[in-house]
Amino acid sequence: MITRAMCFDGGGVGGVFTGTILRRIHEWNSSVLGMTKVFAGTSTGSIIACALALKEPIPPEDIVRIYKQAAPEIFTRKWIYRTIPFDRIFGTPYQLERLEKALWEVFGEQKLGDLRKQVFIPTLDGDRRLWGGKRRLADAYFFNNISQRDYDLNMRIIDVIQASSAAPLFFRPFQNRYMDGGLILNNPSIGLIAELMDQGIARENLVVLSVGTGKIAPYIDSDNRKIWDLRRFIKPVVASLTNSNMRVSTKLAHKLLEANYKRFAPSVSKDYQLDETLAMDRLELEANSLEMNSVYKWLQGFYRLYQLEGASAIPPLSPLSKSLTDLDK
């Protein structure tokens, strides 16, 4: 029996880019999301994963709308950072409380165990309490309702998302413990594949579509190493770490699943910052203009859409469509 899964990268406001791609897939064939059993997401991708896994799933077009409404409020700087550029040294200009409020309006008090579909959410657990007389080093932790751990099932959805979304230099660690999942698996594919194989699913029965956020690979400017401009130097270092682990995850997922794994991560024409809310309209526009025939063909074959009555045909290319760089990166 085939297990169909989707994975969503971290990338801040780039969730608009991911959501728009999903909206186009849903418009092409409304059965695809319903046929998907597992949704994995890191950081902003965890919002999308949980939204699609609800008992009453949120349609992709509404996910995009939620991003556009909530992001400007979430990424409102603390008053002191609006007057003094402390964030260049100390980071964390944004409040997790604003993120929590926006998430609560969507998910309320629902817990991970209340979800209809399975989810897989990476985070970095920085708990340094003593365990067995020894200090425990920071380690990866994967919130999920697949392995049915009571601790995970009883966590509020909004807390799991915050744990995966507490990006360094943007938010403080959630509960002074959890940090952004992008530090370990910005593309959660390989973690999800390992978890599902641990549950006894043979890799030949697993198909995974992985969707990016349009981010362009970062570079580090060695001229920005001055202490008073520390944040400008550290930000691309953190971005390079997330980009590197993302590429490793993608390569390993391809190696394990071969053609059963589809990575769709085109780059936008102009890069954006995770908190750059003014870029959201452009991200939506660029996602709308992507040529997606390769995704539709893969879904038809590997999701076995041809077995459905009235399965969608590949739509003709619009004259306005354009291919962005690294379409099948």
Side-chain angles (χ1 to χ4, degrees):
M1 183 177 179
I2 293 178
T3 296
R4 303 172 178 90
M6 288 189 183
C7 297
F8 312 122
D9 290 3
V13 297
V16 168
F17 188 82
T18 307
T20 303
I21 290 173
L22 292 173
R23 191 214 76 224
R24 292 183 61 189
I25 291 174
H26 187 61
E27 290 175 351
W28 168 70
N29 190 308
S30 59
S31 300
V32 171
L33 294 178
M35 295 171 69
T36 304
K37 182 179 181 180
V38 192
F39 295 104
T42 298
S43 195
T44 197
S46 69
I47 300 174
I48 298 172
C50 291
L52 295 174
L54 291 168
K55 290 179 180 177
E56 295 184 7
I58 300 175
E61 61 269 24
D62 288 342
I63 292 175
V64 173
R65 176 183 54 78
I66 290 169
Y67 267 91
K68 287 189 166 186
Q69 290 178 348
E73 176 65 20
I74 293 169
F75 292 116
T76 297
R77 289 171 177 261
K78 303 172 187 175
W79 69 268
I80 193 168
Y81 291 98
R82 294 197 296 269
T83 56
I84 305 173
F86 283 170
D87 59 309
R88 289 192 174 185
I89 298 176
F90 300 109
T92 66
Y94 303 116
Q95 297 173 302
L96 275 173
E97 290 78 9
R98 291 180 182 271
L99 175 59
E100 180 179 23
K101 180 177 181 293
L103 292 173
W104 192 90
E105 291 176 357
V106 176
F107 299 103
E109 294 293 317
Q110 294 183 83
K111 297 179 179 179
L112 215 61
D114 297 326
L115 294 172
R116 183 171 66 95
K117 299 290 186 78
Q118 294 180 337
V119 296
F120 180 88
I121 313 294
T123 185
L124 179 63
D125 183 358
D127 185 5
R128 302 183 69 180
R129 291 176 296 177
L130 292 177
W131 291 81
K134 296 182 179 179
R135 274 200 189 278
R136 179 175 173 272
L137 298 176
D139 198 2
Y141 189 83
F142 305 111
F143 285 104
N144 69 85
N145 56 358
I146 302 170
S147 55
Q148 295 291 299
R149 293 186 298 248
D150 288 341
Y151 178 74
D152 291 15
L153 297 177
N154 291 322
M155 284 283 286
R156 294 189 305 172
I157 295 171
I158 64 175
D159 292 336
V160 172
I161 292 173
Q162 289 181 89
S164 185
S165 303
L169 304 179
F170 293 92
F171 298 103
R172 68 178 185 276
F174 177 63
Q175 296 179 346
N176 293 318
R177 172 176 180 177
Y178 296 107
M179 292 171 279
D180 195 284
L183 295 171
I184 51 168
L185 279 181
N186 203 49
N187 168 9
S189 296
I190 193 62
L192 173 66
I193 293 169
E195 180 66 38
L196 293 175
M197 291 179 67
D198 282 346
Q199 299 300 317
I201 299 175
R203 61 180 180 177
E204 58 267 23
N205 292 329
L206 178 59
V207 295
V208 178
L209 173 65
S210 173
V211 183
T213 56
K215 289 293 291 179
I216 296 174
Y219 70 93
I220 300 174
D221 185 352
S222 60
D223 291 335
N224 283 328
R225 288 180 290 183
K226 299 176 181 178
I227 187 63
W228 54 86
D229 213 9
L230 185 60
R231 185 170 181 261
R232 188 178 296 180
F233 173 66
I234 292 179
K235 283 180 70 175
V237 172
V238 173
S240 296
L241 290 174
T242 59
N243 181 70
S244 298
N245 71 53
M246 182 168 59
R247 292 173 68 88
V248 171
S249 177
T250 301
K251 186 172 183 177
L252 291 175
H254 270 302
K255 189 72 174 178
L256 275 174
L257 300 188
E258 298 180 338
N260 280 22
Y261 181 77
K262 174 67 176 176
R263 174 72 171 162
F264 188 65
S267 298
V268 293
S269 59
K270 179 183 177 183
D271 203 14
Y272 62 93
Q273 298 299 316
L274 304 186
D275 57 347
E276 191 178 345
T277 56
L278 294 178
M280 290 190 291
D281 286 340
R282 175 171 59 84
L283 292 172
E284 183 179 17
L285 180 64
E286 294 211 26
N288 270 323
S289 67
L290 293 171
E291 190 278 298
M292 291 182 55
N293 278 2
S294 65
V295 177
Y296 299 145
K297 288 179 180 178
W298 184 88
L299 287 169
Q300 273 192 330
F302 289 90
Y303 261 55
R304 299 188 179 178
L305 298 179
Y306 56 82
Q307 295 180 348
L308 298 177
E309 184 177 351
S312 303
I314 301 294
L317 282 178
S318 164
L320 296 178
S321 294
K322 64 176 181 178
S323 296
L324 299 182
T325 58
D326 303 325
L327 185 60
D328 287 313
K329 187 176 177 181

